[in-house]
Amino acid sequence: MTVSASASAAALLERLTEVAGTDVTPAAELLAASVRDNGVIQAFGTGHSQGTALEIAGRAGGLVPTNRIALSDLVQFGGEDPAVLADPMLERSADVVSRLYELAAPHPQDVFVIASSSGVNSSVVEMAHLATTNGHKLVVITSLLHSSQVPARHESGKRLSDFADVTLDNRAPFGDTLLPLPDGTSVGGVSSLTAGLLAQMLVADTVRLLLESGTEPPVYVSNNVPGGYERNIKLEALYEGRIRRTAG
């Protein structure tokens, strides 16, 4: 089964690279325009999609003007009781999103990248609604197949992709798993792989567009190479108060 899972995932990633390029460039154009305008890329995801936000914000080989919005911001920066994070259904709550947006304090030229494979949980949909209502451009990373087959949870009846300027389809199957089991369930979650690949394609294409326009891309190098930490700190200082880097 392990070999089959590997082969299935590899085939899906190959198909993704073949078809996603035409979608990635329009999304990268939004990010590049924001960076050129001294904007910050605001990345948000809950559950396993936090990993996709981490691919966008604050990693080696990525762009410095990036900020990750997380549910934990309510505690780390908003002064909420840590017990609020014990609610496993918090990602389904739209009520906390206005506070998260307020804590991030995005500038008008900031662009949002929101990831959710299901695309229906109220927190991500409400963030999309709030971001676009405030005039921000929005790139969405989601599974269009899965999202189309489950009920919307947001009070508007809309899904994440309904708010997007550009949608990047991570091509994950319904239920996010590749291999069926005899009892009718399945195994082999794949959206983390495909969404991560899309995120890196998006960053790389954004950097390409910046270079082509004569803009020096503010890119991180690894803190674990000589001089990397010092270089990164200087670049981060250009966005002081607008980007957050925490241990978790």
Side-chain angles (χ1 to χ4, degrees), residues 2-244:
T2 301
V3 173
S4 297
S6 299
S8 298
L12 181 56
L13 290 172
E14 184 175 356
R15 290 198 301 274
L16 187 68
T17 57
E18 291 172 354
V19 301
T22 55
D23 299 321
V24 168
T25 295
E29 288 171 346
L30 297 179
L31 271 61
S34 177
V35 173
R36 285 194 295 265
D37 196 25
N38 194 35
V40 165
I41 299 160
Q42 303 283 350
F44 181 53
T46 64
H48 280 86
S49 291
Q50 293 179 85
T52 309
L54 284 167
E55 290 294 316
I56 296 291
R59 67 156 297 159
L63 292 160
V64 174
T66 51
N67 182 58
R68 181 171 74 101
I69 301 172
L71 294 174
S72 59
D73 293 349
L74 296 169
V75 175
Q76 286 185 287
F77 307 107
E80 293 283 345
D81 190 306
V84 70
L85 301 179
D87 181 3
M89 295 293 103
L90 188 61
E91 66 178 339
R92 296 189 181 185
S93 172
D95 297 339
V96 300
V97 172
S98 60
R99 180 60 172 153
L100 290 172
Y101 183 90
E102 177 187 1
L103 290 169
H107 289 200
Q109 68 269 38
D110 291 359
V111 62
F112 276 67
V113 178
I114 302 180
S116 169
S117 199
S118 70
V120 296
N121 282 327
S122 291
S123 62
V124 291
V125 178
E126 179 64 15
M127 185 65 80
H129 172 254
L130 193 58
T132 54
T133 297
N134 282 281
H136 302 285
K137 296 297 184 181
L138 172 63
V139 175
V140 160
I141 302 177
T142 191
S143 167
L144 291 177
L145 176 62
H146 183 105
S147 188
S148 68
Q149 295 186 35
V150 292
R153 294 190 175 118
H154 191 262
E155 62 181 7
S156 67
K158 293 185 177 182
R159 294 166 173 78
L160 180 58
S161 59
D162 292 327
F163 294 94
D165 291 286
V166 181
T167 297
L168 300 180
D169 185 2
N170 68 27
R171 298 303 200 280
F174 178 70
D176 199 15
T177 47
L178 290 171
L179 303 175
L181 298 176
D183 65 357
T185 61
S186 53
V187 68
V190 74
S191 66
S192 297
L193 296 175
T194 56
L197 176 60
L198 283 171
Q200 289 306 318
M201 292 171 67
L202 177 59
V203 170
D205 214 29
T206 300
V207 169
R208 175 184 66 81
L209 292 170
L210 289 171
L211 288 170
E212 289 178 354
S213 68
T215 301
E216 184 69 24
V219 174
Y220 278 112
V221 299
S222 173
N223 284 339
N224 298 310
V225 301
Y229 176 77
E230 292 76 12
R231 177 187 185 278
N232 293 339
I233 288 295
K234 289 180 180 180
L235 287 172
E236 288 180 342
L238 300 175
Y239 305 93
E240 185 176 0
R242 301 177 63 196
I243 61 176
R244 300 185 293 240

